[in-house]
Amino acid sequence: MAESMQLATRPAQPPATRGEEKVANQFLTFSLGGEVLGMEIRFIREILQYGGITEVPLTPAAVRGVMNLRGAVIPVIDLAVRFGRPSAPVDRRTCIVILEVEEGESTTVMGIVVDYVREVLDISDTEIEPPPTFGNTLRTDFIRGVGKIGRRFVLLLDVERVLSAEELASSDPAF
Amino acid sequence: MDLDKVKQTFILEARELLAAMEEALLGIEEDLNPGESINAMFRAVHTIKGSAGLFGLDPIVRFSHTVESVMDRVRSKQISLDPTLVSLLLECHDHLASLITSTQEGVEETPESHEGSQRLLNQLIPYLEGNGVIESTPVRVAAQPSGASEGGWNECWHLSIRFGPDVLRNGMDPLSFVRYLGTLGKIVHLASVVEKLPRGEDYDPETCYLGIELDLDTDADRQTIEDVFEFVREDSEIRLLPPHSKVEEYIAFIRAMPEDERFLGEILVAGGCITTKDLEEALRTQKAETLEDGVIHGRLIGTILIEDQAVPPPVVAAALDKQKKFQDRQAQEMKVVKVQADKLDRLVDLVGELVIAGASANAMAVQVHEPRLLEATTIVNKLVEEIRDNALSLRMVQIGDTFNRFRRIVRDVSQEMGKSIELELHGGDTELDKTIVEKLSDPLMHIVRNAIDHGIESLEVRRARGKPDTGSLSLNAFHDSGSIVIEVADDGGGLNKAKILKKAVERGIIREGAELSDAEITSLIFEPGFSTAEAITKLSGRGVGMDVVRQNIDELRGSIELESYEEAGTTLRIRLPLTLAIIDGFRVGIGTASYVLPLDLVIECLDLGPFLESEENHLINLRGEVLPFLRLREIFRMPGEPPTRERVVVVQYGETRAGLVVDRLMGEFQTVIKPLGNLFKQVRGVGGSTILGSGEVALILDVPQLIQLASEPSSGLRRRPATHLPPTHS
C-alpha cells in the first residue's frame, strides 16, 4: 500500500523533451481487436497480467469491474466495449494497463483491458498527423493523431477523452 | 530562523483562546456567577495581547489592549456586563479572530481591518470613561504593594532569566525580550550572566548560553511580565521577584511562582526568604548526612531548613504545597497530547492495511492446516483487532464542540429574525469520527438555520397558537444500534403538507394529483430545487438547502428521517455510522461473487423455504412478523440459477426491517472500507468495496438503499429498475 500511495501522489511526468526544436513523445503501443493503438507513456503507471477482477452489478458495459491494486480498489475499463466493439476473449496475453488520468482537480487511477502490449515508441511531433475525419471505426474525438513509424501507422488515443469518468459513468448500464 | 513555526503556535493558541472567550461570553448571560467566565475572557485577551506583542503585531496589541481594559473594568465591577456589551464583545471577538487570520495569511493590517478596529474601539471607549486613561491593569494581590515605604530597597521587579540552550535555534532573539520588557516599564539595571559560555572549540554558535538579571520599574502585573516569556518559558528559567516584598508576602509569592520545576531551596532563595548563604549551608548539611549514611535518604531540605531555623515552617509548607501542586498539574497536562490530524489518518490507514494483511495470513493458515501457525495468526489477529479499536478511538471526538458553536449561531440568527429562541444541547459527550464531525457541521448549520427561519414561528403566531413566547430548539446526540443519531428538534409550526405538495407540483418535482404518503411528502423537501419559504430571507431559502444537506449526509453513509406535526414542531433525525474507515462485515455469496453486509445491521439468518409467505409479493413470515424481501440475484441481474436452498439475511436499518435473499452465507470478518470512486456513484445498493484475505475485491452492500428498494416498491420519486423482473427459481 505504501508503494502504491507513493505512486498515486506522484504527478504525471511531462512528455520527455529531447533537443530544442524536435520534441519527441514516447508512446506505448498495444493491440486491440487486431488494430495497433498507442497512448502517451506519461499516463501509464504499470502493466499487469489480466486477473482478479470483481464485477460490479448495474454498471455500464464498458466497466469490466474493480480490482485490487496493492490495497487500492480501482475500476477496470474494457477498452473494446468502450469503442463499441464486442469484448475480446481473455487469453494469456491479455493485459491490464494501469493509467493515471487527471480530470479537473482529481486524479483517477484506472485499468484498461487490452489484447496485448507491443512496445514503446518515440514519435516526434513532426511525425504526428491530425486524425482523419472519416473512414474510421473509432469515434474521431477518441483519436489524438496518427503517428507514422516508417511505413506503418499507429492511431494515438486521446486518453483523457477515452477514459472520461463522467462519460463512462453516464453511459448505458449493461443489460 | 524558524519564526514561522513559532508564529503558527501563536495563531493556534490565539484561536483556542478566542474559542474560550466566545464560549465564556455566550455562557455569561445564563451564568448566575459569571466571575470565572469574566476572568477566563480577560485572561484570553490578555494572553493574546502579550503574545502578539512578542511578534510586534501592533494592530492586534492596540486593539486587544482596549478590549482588555474594558474587560478589566467588568472584572473589577466598575461596569456591568449587559447584553449590549456582550454583543459588542462578541463583535470584538470576531474582529480579533479576523486579525489573527490575516496574520496567518501574512497580512498585518489592511485598510478594512484598520477601519474595523477603529469602529469597535470607538464603541468601546464609552465603557472606559470615568477613569480616563486605563493604561495599566491592577496589580494582583500577590504583588500588591503594601506599605510602600517599607522595603523601599526594592521598588522594582527583579527578573532572573536563564535562556534555554535551544532559544536561538527556535528562532528567538533574547534581545527582543529585553526590548519588549522596555515597553512595559523602565529597565533600571541589567546584568548579563555568561558563566555558561564555554571556551574555544566547545562553543556552539547556535546554542544560547545567555542569562540576564534585570530590574524593571513597571506598573504591569505578574501575568503581563510572565507573558513576555510565553515562547521561551518551557526551556528557559524565568524567575520574578515582585517589588516591596515582605516576609508574610513570601508565602503568597511562593504560591504564585511561575510553574517551573525547581529545587525547593531555590524557590526559597528566589523568594528572598533565605539568602544564598542559608541555602548553601542547608545543602551542605544534607550532603554531609547523605555521606554519613552512604545512602541518599538524608533529610529533606525543607526539614533541614526548619530544624536549622533558616525559615519559618509556614513558608516551607507553602513551598512544598506549591511543588506538589505543580507536579499534580503536570500529571494532568500530560494526559492530553496534541497530534496532527494527518498523522492520525495515516495511522488509521496503516491499521486498515494491517487488518487486511492479518485476515489474509489467517486465511492462509487455515488452508495449510498447521495448528501452531493457526494459533499464532489467531493471536496476531486478536491484537490487530485491539489495535484497530484503539486507533479508531483516537480519531473519535466529542460532538460537544460542534454543538457549542450553535449557541452563537442561534443567538445571532434569532436576534436577527427578532425571535426569542432557547437552545438546549444534549449528549455533547457522544463521540464520533473526526471526519464525520467535520463534514457534519455544514449540514447541521443548514438544518438549524432552517429551523429558526422556517420552523419557529414569529411571536404573534406563537401567541395565537397558545405557545410560549420563547421558541425552543434542541440538539441531541446519542448512540443507537451501531449508529449515531443526531436530532434537531424545534417546537415550531411543523411542515405544512399542503404547502409542500403545492410547491412540489409548481416546481415540477411531482405530477399534479400524485398520491403520496405523509413520509413521501415530507421527504419532498430534500428534493433539489425545493424551497418553501414564501419570502427568500438572508438565512435560508436559496433553494440549495435541504437537498445539499441530504447529499452531505449520503456521502457520510448516513440517512435522514423527518418527523413533523403541523403546528407542533419538527424533529429531524440524522443517522450516521460510527466510523468511516473500518467495519465488521458479514459476507454472503451470490453465484461466484461475494458481497459484504455491515454486521451491525444484520439481525439473523434463515433459510428462505420454511419462512416464505408469498413469492409474488416478496414477503416472508418471520415468526408472525411479515417482512418484505428482495433477491440480490434479481436486483443485480446476475446470470445463472439460484441454488435450491436459498438463504435470507434479515437486516434492520432504523425502524425498518427487510430480508435479503442470497445463495450462501460466508460468515463474519473485519473489513476496511475502500471508496469506489466517482465512476460508481450511480450504482444503487453498493456502498463501497473491501479487499478480502485472498486479495480479491468484494463489494459492500448499501443496506439502507436496499431496504428502501425492498419496502417502497410504489414510490414514484426515485430511480429504480426499469422493468419488473420475472421470479427466477427452480
Side-chain angles (χ1 to χ4, degrees), chain B residues 111-127:
Chain B
E112 295 89 63
S113 75
H114 182 75
E115 206 176 285
S117 300
Q118 219 45 57
R119 185 177 58 78
L120 287 168
L121 287 179
N122 288 340
Q123 281 176 271
L124 284 171
I125 281 168
Y127 290 100

Side-chain angles (χ1 to χ4, degrees), chain B residues 31 142 146 157 179 270 363 387 414 483 572-573 585 602 609 658 670 697 723:
Chain B
D31 207 340
S146 60
W157 285 81
R179 211 179 284 138
I387 292 174
S414 56
S483 44
L572 207 140
R573 229 168 263 126
V602 175
Q670 260 184 31
V697 179
T723 50

Side-chain angles (χ1 to χ4, degrees), chain A:
Chain A
M1 185 60 198
E3 189 194 356
S4 72
M5 281 184 60
Q6 250 169 18
L7 283 165
T9 50
R10 190 193 61 192
Q13 292 295 313
T17 51
R18 282 177 203 169
E20 286 293 301
E21 63 275 347
K22 194 179 170 187
V23 183
N25 289 327
Q26 288 195 306
F27 291 86
L28 176 81
T29 57
F30 57 89
S31 233
L32 187 78
E35 202 169 3
V36 180
L37 301 168
M39 53 191 165
E40 273 178 83
I41 206 143
R42 67 182 169 105
F43 296 108
I44 295 163
R45 263 173 59 167
E46 59 191 295
I47 299 159
L48 302 171
Q49 202 180 4
Y50 185 87
I53 291 181
T54 300
E55 278 182 44
V56 183
L58 310 178
T59 46
V63 180
R64 183 69 77 89
V66 288
M67 67 176 285
N68 167 14
L69 182 72
R70 287 186 302 278
V73 175
I74 60 162
V76 179
I77 309 300
D78 191 329
L79 206 54
V81 178
R82 174 77 178 123
F83 292 154
R85 301 166 183 174
S87 186
V90 173
D91 65 25
R92 60 178 187 83
R93 288 200 295 177
T94 308
C95 286
I96 302 174
V97 181
I98 309 293
L99 300 137
E100 202 172 282
V101 188
E102 275 176 56
E103 199 164 19
E105 297 279 290
S106 61
T107 308
T108 313
V109 176
M110 54 173 92
I112 57 170
V113 180
V114 303
D115 289 355
Y116 60 94
V117 171
R118 300 172 72 97
E119 60 190 324
V120 175
L121 293 174
D122 284 336
I123 307 176
S124 68
D125 278 356
T126 52
E127 285 165 87
I128 298 175
E129 304 273 319
T133 46
F134 58 90
N136 254 305
T137 54
L138 278 182
R139 254 168 68 180
T140 37
D141 62 336
F142 284 171
I143 304 169
R144 209 193 101 171
V146 182
K148 284 186 293 184
I149 302 116
R151 288 190 196 152
R152 287 185 298 134
F153 293 97
V154 178
L155 285 180
L156 304 176
L157 296 177
D158 183 335
V159 173
E160 274 135 339
R161 190 87 215 125
V162 172
L163 298 180
S164 152
E166 203 181 312
E167 211 177 300
L168 279 171
S170 58
S171 52
D172 284 332
F175 278 93

Side-chain angles (χ1 to χ4, degrees), chain B residues 405-406 409 440-450:
Chain B
R405 280 172 39 202
F406 286 102
I409 290 151
L440 193 63
S441 83
D442 275 2
L444 262 187
M445 179 91 77
H446 240 107
I447 294 168
V448 167
R449 290 193 158 176
N450 257 324

Side-chain angles (χ1 to χ4, degrees), chain B residues 274-288:
Chain B
I274 51 170
T275 63
T276 320
K277 199 170 138 254
D278 289 337
L279 174 70
E280 274 168 9
E281 268 169 26
L283 278 173
R284 214 176 301 135
T285 319
Q286 192 187 35
K287 207 173 168 188

Side-chain angles (χ1 to χ4, degrees), chain B residues 98 100 718:
Chain B
S98 76
I100 303 272
R718 311 240 120 222

